[in-house]
Each structure stands twice: as C-alpha cells, then as structure tokens.
Amino acid sequence: MQWILNIIIQKRNLLLFLFLLGIGIVFSSYRSSYHQTKLQRFGIVISGGVFKSINNSKSYLSLTESNQSLLAENSALRQELLQYKQTENSISKSTLNPELSNYLVRSASVVKNSYAKARNILIIDKGTSDGILKDMSVVGPNGIIGIVKQTSDHFSSVISILYQDFRINAKIQGKGAFGSLSWEGRDPTRMVLSDVSIINTISVGDTIETGGMSAYFPKGIPIGTIIDLETPTSGGYYNIEVALLNNLTDLEHVYIIENKKRSEFIDLQKKSEDGTR
Amino acid sequence: MVQDSLRVLLGFFIAALLQVLIFDNINLFGFSCPAVYLFFIISYRFDSSQFTLILLGFLLGFVIDIFQNTSGANTIATLLISFIRPMVIRFSFGVIPDSNTLLSMKSRMGNQAVYIGLMILIHQFALQSIAYFDVTHITLILRNSLVNTALTFILLLATLNLTKKKN
C-alpha cells in the first residue's frame, strides 16, 4: 500500500497533468461539435479495432447458430426469388417493382452493439473504403436496425433504432395508415408507434413496416407486429405498442442499403421546402 | 509566503485580463493574435511548486477559452507547457539556472530567448493543432504557429525588459 502512495506522490505532477488533460479533452468535445465528431471518429477506429478482434474469437463459438440463421435466411430469400421468377413469367416486366434497382445491398459484421443506453450505437466492420457513407440505412435479417452515423476507413458507427429522439416513418402493412415509430428507452424489444389516426381500422397482430416517406429506408421493410393497442378517450390518435421482429440484443450480421437516388430525393425535398417559404 | 501567493494570483488575473481585453483584439494579417498571457507561465518562479503551476496553467487556459469562445485548445496547450516547463528550462539554461526567476536572471540573452521562444512555439503549435485538428491543414497550422510565435516573442521580450529588475 505504501509503495502505491509513494508512486502517487512521486508522479503527482504527471498524474495531475493527465487528469487535467482528460478534463481539457472533455471540455473541448463539449464546446465544439467539430472536435466531438473528430474524437468520435477516433473512438470508432479504436473501439472498432479492439472489438473486432474480440468478436472474431467470439464468432467461432457461435458458428453453428450463425450457419443455421444464415441458412434460414437463404431459404427465405430463395423462396422469395422463386415467387419473383413466377411473377416475371406470368406478367409483364413493367409491373415488377422498379424501385429494386435503386438500392445496393452490402453486408457487414457487427463488432460492437449497445442496447442498454438511452441512445444506442452499433459499430460495424465496413467503412468508406467499402463504399459505406453517412445516412445509409442498416437492416438485419428480420427488419430495420438503424442509420449510418459516421464512417472511418474500415469502420462505421450506426445509430440504432433504439435511440431516443430518433423517429422512423412507418406504416401498417396492407393499410394506408402511417405513423411515427420511436423508442421510449426501456425495453429493447418494444417500440411505440404514434400519430396513427383513429379513423384507421387496425388490430393487434398487424405488421408494421417502413413507410418509405424518408430518404433513409426503402419502403416495405418489416419492423414489428402490434402487440398492444389503446384507443384514447380524448385525442384522435392510437397508442400502439410494437414488438420488434429483429432481436437487437443479438446481432452478428447486418446489411447496409444504399439508396442510389437519395441525393435526388433530398434535392427535390429541399427545393420544395424552399419554394414553400 | 502569503505575499508570494497574492503576487501569483495578481499576475494570473492581470495576464488573463490583458489578454482578453487588449491582445485578443489584435488581429495581425487577419489571423494572428499574440498569446501574451504566456508571460505568467514563463515568468513563474523556477523554484516554485510545479504542481501549482500545472493547476494555474490549466485554469488560465480555461479562462482564455471561455472568453475567446474557443474549443478548449488554450486549456490543453497552456496545460502542456506548464507541464513540460522544467524540461525546457533544463534545455535552455542547463541543470541549474543562475536565478530562480526570469525577471532577475543574468544569463546570456540568447539562453533566455531560447527558453521564451521554445515555450511559445510549443504552445502555439499545440494550440493550432488542436484548433484545426486535421493533418490536411498542416500548412495553416505551421503558418499560424510561426507567425503567432514571432509576434508573441517580440511582445514578451519587450514586456520582460520592461519588468526586469534593474541592477
């Protein structure tokens, strides 16, 4: 014990310097969003590298489970492909979804995942050198995961849908009812769908999917199912609780979707907004 | 002892006030601003506690950052030179300087100039590097560091000559 005290006394200047330097860095990132962004990017590189090596060793232990889930996903996709081919044979090509070619899908592995904070971030092992850019959408095998927030050369951070203040445009599958999906910060398997007018007929068990009204997510990606529905005594909107299809607490592989026409969409949106001012 | 502490505190406030009220308004070539508050760190007694100097250096930089509305670069740069000052003193004056304060020092002017110049240069390079925080801006960082160092050096040398105890 004595020697620890001796070291602290001997190195007190260095310890004080390092302590105050830490405060200075926090102060710097607090005062400037530029420095915050730069420090965060540095953090992605460091934590990405560390967690990737941890993840590599971990993934060996769950190879069987990973293979099974990939097989299941493959078979579902094959099924979809077969149905697609049938449609192609029976009807003309023009009736097929033309939006499909607007999107480019890349796969990535999750190296760090958080789901217990108020604002959760994932880190994936693909970055700008793999064509990943800010604001691209990230989906999992069963639905949406989040949006790319920042990128370094080989890693990217992703804002999880489990992120307070983050709202996603969503609709009820097969119906025209749109709403806004958000996370209340409690249960990582549950989200809340708000702003759905009570003039729409909806019921427990209905599937929620992306609405496609923003430039982030393509239309029609499943999100979850309604598990609780309250019709308010006052006010014209439902209180809807949604169970997510994706298990965000256990993510290994994700897909990043690039919307090739995103900039066109944003330009048009901006022009329309400027025009209405 | 109390008198010394009061003198240090007074020096701290004068350095911060002069910087914030007068020298921050100098804007030579549109980008250069002298960091005259460094006089406090440079002229701090050599035999006084370095622990206190590190704390005061941090606080001085912090105050300047608050008033300049900058991102914390002054805090880190001033903290850095407060910490490395003993090494710069050893480099400039040898192991034992002939006096414990710059204000009554008889060493050759060259040694004093090396000490002051190095302290300012390290401070300015750290300050500009943190402010730009991007290696692609290295030319801007170097230009600003060198011009600011030259300007601050001239002003500090003049201040030192004005405040130096006459024999």
Side-chain angles (χ1 to χ4, degrees):
Chain A
M1 197 64 199
Q2 184 67 38
W3 65 270
I4 298 176
L5 276 173
N6 283 342
I7 288 175
I8 291 174
I9 292 165
Q10 271 172 20
K11 304 277 177 194
R12 65 184 185 281
N13 290 340
L14 177 69
L15 292 173
L16 178 72
F17 169 70
L18 292 175
F19 173 69
L20 294 177
L21 185 67
I23 294 178
I25 291 169
V26 172
F27 172 65
S28 182
S29 72
Y30 171 75
R31 281 175 72 86
S32 153
S33 56
Y34 172 73
H35 285 84
Q36 198 173 25
T37 314
K38 283 276 183 180
L39 286 169
Q40 277 172 353
R41 187 171 289 179
F42 182 65
I44 293 173
V45 174
I46 297 292
S47 59
V50 171
F51 286 107
K52 191 177 179 183
S53 34
I54 296 173
N55 225 44
N56 279 346
S57 35
K58 258 187 181 175
S59 63
Y60 278 109
L61 302 171
S62 57
L63 272 180
T64 324
E65 283 168 33
S66 290
N67 280 341
Q68 271 169 357
S69 76
L70 286 172
L71 275 174
E73 200 186 339
N74 263 343
S75 61
L77 288 171
R78 203 167 278 272
Q79 179 80 37
E80 212 167 305
L81 189 70
L82 285 171
Q83 279 171 358
Y84 218 74
K85 277 181 178 167
Q86 269 180 354
T87 326
E88 199 178 15
N89 288 336
S90 57
I91 53 174
S92 72
K93 262 190 173 177
S94 59
T95 55
L96 289 173
N97 188 1
E99 277 185 1
L100 216 71
S101 58
N102 294 342
Y103 298 102
L104 191 67
V105 181
R106 295 178 180 91
S107 67
S109 294
V110 177
V111 293
K112 187 174 181 262
N113 181 18
S114 73
Y115 45 83
K117 297 174 191 158
R119 291 172 180 81
N120 293 293
I121 300 278
L122 290 93
I123 294 178
I124 55 173
D125 69 344
K126 293 277 163 72
T128 39
S129 58
D130 308 289
I132 308 296
L133 297 171
K134 193 176 176 255
D135 291 336
M136 283 184 179
S137 52
V138 181
V139 301
N142 299 316
I144 61 169
I145 304 284
I147 290 168
V148 175
K149 185 190 175 205
Q150 267 181 354
T151 52
S152 64
D153 282 351
H154 304 292
F155 296 100
S156 302
S157 67
V158 177
I159 297 181
S160 166
I161 53 170
L162 306 178
Y163 195 97
Q164 277 180 15
D165 325 321
F166 184 39
R167 298 176 87 80
I168 302 146
N169 172 260
K171 73 186 270 274
I172 292 146
Q173 202 175 51
K175 292 168 190 172
F178 281 91
S180 182
L181 195 74
S182 58
W183 188 53
E184 289 193 318
R186 289 195 293 269
D187 186 343
T189 61
R190 302 274 185 272
M191 286 184 86
V192 170
L193 184 65
S194 49
D195 303 337
V196 178
S197 170
I198 52 169
I199 56 167
N200 298 295
T201 322
I202 54 172
S203 53
V204 171
D206 281 356
T207 305
I208 308 293
E209 60 182 23
T210 49
M213 280 196 187
S214 71
Y216 293 115
F217 294 105
K219 193 176 166 183
I221 298 180
I223 300 171
T225 49
I226 297 176
I227 51 160
D228 193 20
L229 184 67
E230 266 179 48
T231 315
T233 45
S234 61
Y237 299 102
Y238 288 113
N239 293 325
I240 303 168
E241 196 175 354
V242 176
L244 294 174
L245 293 173
N246 254 336
N247 179 7
L248 279 119
T249 62
D250 183 20
L251 286 175
E252 272 195 60
H253 304 286
V254 292
Y255 302 99
I256 300 109
I257 301 177
E258 180 183 352
N259 182 353
K260 291 184 203 163
K261 292 188 176 167
R262 186 171 188 275
S263 53
E264 198 179 317
F265 183 95
I266 301 233
D267 283 349
L268 187 66
Q269 200 175 29
K270 212 174 173 183
K271 274 181 198 159
S272 325
E273 277 170 10
D274 290 344
T276 52
R277 258 176 218 154
Chain B
M1 182 70 190
V2 179
Q3 210 177 2
D4 279 350
S5 304
L6 280 174
R7 198 174 291 157
V8 168
L9 271 180
L10 193 69
F12 181 94
F13 284 113
I14 290 173
L17 279 175
L18 282 177
Q19 181 67 38
V20 171
L21 299 177
I22 299 170
F23 293 103
D24 276 355
N25 297 315
I26 296 177
N27 219 348
L28 203 69
F29 313 123
F31 62 83
S32 180
C33 172
V36 174
Y37 67 94
L38 293 184
F39 188 74
F40 174 77
I41 310 285
I42 288 168
S43 64
Y44 189 79
R45 281 183 70 89
F46 296 165
D47 58 347
S48 292
S49 152
Q50 202 208 349
F51 192 84
T52 317
L53 180 68
I54 292 172
L55 267 177
L56 288 171
F58 174 81
L59 285 175
L60 185 60
F62 187 80
V63 169
I64 303 294
D65 266 330
I66 295 286
F67 282 100
Q68 285 186 354
N69 213 7
T70 43
S71 62
N74 283 294
T75 309
I76 298 174
T78 316
L79 175 69
L80 177 73
I81 57 156
S82 308
F83 177 68
I84 61 163
R85 198 181 78 133
M87 290 161 237
V88 182
I89 291 172
R90 268 198 300 276
F91 178 79
S92 314
F93 302 110
V95 182
I96 308 163
D98 65 46
S99 168
N100 283 323
T101 165
L102 197 65
L103 300 175
S104 59
M105 191 167 260
K106 293 187 191 84
S107 292
R108 278 193 303 155
M109 203 57 207
N111 297 40
Q112 294 180 37
V114 167
Y115 165 64
I116 297 170
L118 262 180
M119 288 287 280
I120 302 170
L121 185 67
I122 294 167
H123 175 268
Q124 282 301 321
F125 186 68
L127 180 86
Q128 299 295 337
S129 304
I130 298 161
Y132 284 98
F133 216 58
D134 194 336
V135 80
T136 55
H137 289 122
I138 190 72
T139 45
L140 268 180
I141 293 171
L142 287 174
R143 183 199 70 178
N144 290 3
S145 304
L146 292 174
V147 175
N148 279 350
T149 301
L151 189 62
T152 310
F153 182 76
I154 294 166
L155 284 168
L156 286 195
L157 222 56
T159 316
L160 184 69
N161 277 322
L162 285 173
T163 49
K164 223 169 193 178
K165 288 170 187 166
K166 301 277 182 262
N167 291 325

